[in-house]
Amino acid sequence: MEHAPHGLLEGLKPGDAFFSSPVTTLLGRGAAHECQTADARPQTLDDAARALFDTAKQQGHPDPIIMGLIPFDHADSARLFIPEELLREAPGTFEQYPPGVPLETPTRTITPEPAPGHYRQAVERALTLFDTTALDKVVLARSLRARIEAPVDAQALLKRLVSINPQGYNFALPTGERESLVGASPELLIRREGHRVIANPLAGSIARHRDPAEDQRRAESLRVSEKDLREHALVVEAIVAALRPLCHTLEVPEGPEVIATDRMWHLSTTLEGELADPGMTSLAVAAALHPTPAVCGAPWQDAHQAIKALEGFERGYFTGLVGWCDATGDGEWAITIRCAELAPDHVRVFAGAGVVPGSSPQGELEETAAKMRTMLDAMGLDYEDDATNTTA
Ligand SMILES: C=C(O[C@@H]1C=C(C(=O)O)C=C[C@H]1O)C(=O)O
């Protein structure tokens, strides 16, 4: 017998918006009201969301929900919209989702942007900044661009993603006439359910291994890695500092757990709080936290400056936010990682890694290669660069 969420994904058409999480599955069709904001500062996002809800209510929309994509950089534009039609289903039990046929994506060329050598050099430069500036951590990213023979089917790709990451934040949102951003993020920035907020930052990672004993050994090494625990603590500290003033109570566990995705082990902390102002929407809380040191670094300004100086490409929506917010303010915003930009003639896959004192350029290069495998595997794209020994 077919479970309901399978039905929802079965109905996905080009141009639809899809978001699934451990608590809900949404499929948005069309855009009754939409807004491409001038920038992504918290006030701009709040104003844009209010205006969208006001218009929807004036036009008699019974239960408007905003879906959207928020860029990494506050200076860039966010896309928020209220779908014309919204289909919603209870928690997606994608655990038994049939994996379907593996995708094949014939490619003409695959080009790393920037090149692996550039990436290693950026990490090396970041390491020197730790000695000469206030910088404690910076997340440096890179991408792979594949020129393809035929467009990737977003629905088929999502089916693969939900089957391999059933507990993840799986999404596909249109970003243009024929472009979309599709991904399987493991990271929840914030969920608001009434007064309650939950954040689940991840930071500190190691690639998984196909041999179960080696895989476990890697998980254990991550659990006690001084470098990764330090990298993780910086993220939790920043989120606690941002959430405390917004919350009556905030529960902070003593240390992180180790969680798995299809390709990675991560250090993970779940924080739970009671909002002091229940009128604060999930979008406003997300905007107050974003970008955390999980995707930017610490201190924020120094890390942002280092990214702009060293990375060598525009992140756009990658390491931004994807999610939804309803008219009561409830909603979820996940971090747009483990994602790919789909266009008719190319796909582009992104990944970043946290650099702290003690990081190695080759190690971070390999970590980004391992993170990219989630999307590369799902699309049936074969690619290995100088970061080969990650993906055993
Ligand atoms: C930036 C990415 O991941 C982030 C960086 C992590 C790390 O450095 O350990 C872990 C999870 C994410 O917060 C990515 O997957 O591209």
Side-chain angles (χ1 to χ4, degrees), residues 34-246:
E34 63 186 312
C35 175
Q36 193 77 49
T37 62
D39 60 62
R41 285 172 233 290
Q43 191 62 52
T44 310
L45 297 175
D46 210 37
D47 292 346
R50 273 175 214 283
L52 284 173
F53 280 134
D54 285 349
T55 322
K57 280 179 195 160
Q58 276 160 18
Q59 297 189 1
H61 200 308
D63 182 22
I65 289 187
I66 288 177
M67 296 181 83
L69 278 170
I70 294 166
F72 165 70
D73 197 318
H74 281 173
D76 291 345
S77 162
R79 177 158 192 266
L80 301 177
F81 60 100
I82 296 179
E84 228 158 65
E85 184 188 359
L86 187 91
L87 305 170
R88 187 172 189 162
E89 280 172 341
T93 44
F94 289 117
E95 302 286 350
Q96 272 94 48
Y97 198 81
V101 270
L103 264 64
E104 278 177 40
T105 304
T107 55
R108 294 174 207 271
T109 52
I110 303 187
T111 317
E113 293 180 0
H118 175 113
Y119 183 81
R120 275 191 296 256
Q121 210 171 49
V123 175
E124 243 151 55
R125 295 224 177 104
L127 291 170
T128 67
L129 293 177
F130 297 132
D131 298 328
T132 54
T133 71
L135 190 66
D136 291 321
K137 168 177 176 176
V138 60
V139 178
L140 292 175
R142 64 192 188 104
S143 78
L144 288 181
R145 185 190 292 270
R147 291 187 60 234
I148 53 179
E149 306 274 353
V152 173
D153 176 348
Q155 185 199 41
L157 176 56
L158 263 179
K159 288 183 178 180
R160 296 293 290 174
L161 292 174
V162 299
S163 70
I164 56 172
N165 283 302
Q167 283 301 315
Y169 299 84
N170 297 297
F171 59 91
L173 269 85
T175 51
E177 282 276 300
R178 299 179 64 196
E179 289 80 24
S180 58
L181 193 73
V182 181
S185 173
E187 185 162 356
L188 176 69
L189 178 65
I190 203 81
R191 171 181 303 131
R192 200 204 92 165
E193 286 169 335
H195 292 204
R196 213 163 68 104
V197 283
I198 296 175
N200 183 202
L202 309 179
S205 310
I206 193 165
R208 299 193 58 186
H209 199 280
R210 73 161 92 84
D211 169 59
E214 171 60 13
D215 196 36
Q216 273 312 311
R217 198 198 60 73
R218 289 186 176 198
E220 285 315 310
S221 75
L222 180 64
R223 195 185 303 281
V224 297
S225 157
E226 185 274 327
K227 172 185 101 60
D228 290 284
L229 289 164
R230 182 159 36 87
E231 188 181 331
H232 187 81
L234 283 171
V235 181
V236 175
E237 275 164 28
I239 292 181
V240 168
L243 273 182
R244 272 233 200 276
L246 309 179

Side-chain angles (χ1 to χ4, degrees), residues 109 176 238 250 325:
T109 52
L250 186 64
C325 179

Side-chain angles (χ1 to χ4, degrees), residues 137 139 187 202-205 231 266 294-295 318-319 337-338 350-354 367 371:
K137 168 177 176 176
V139 178
E187 185 162 356
L202 309 179
S205 310
E231 188 181 331
H266 293 298
V295 291
F318 166 63
T319 60
I337 49 174
R338 314 303 143 78
F350 305 87
E367 184 174 317
K371 286 172 171 168

Side-chain angles (χ1 to χ4, degrees), residues 330-354:
D330 280 356
E332 295 178 284
W333 294 91
I335 309 218
T336 44
I337 49 174
R338 314 303 143 78
C339 61
E341 170 187 294
L342 305 190
D345 62 346
H346 76 267
V347 299
R348 196 168 175 203
V349 178
F350 305 87

Side-chain angles (χ1 to χ4, degrees), residues 19-31:
F19 181 88
S20 76
S21 79
V23 302
T24 196
T25 302
L26 299 176
L27 191 152
R29 198 153 275 162

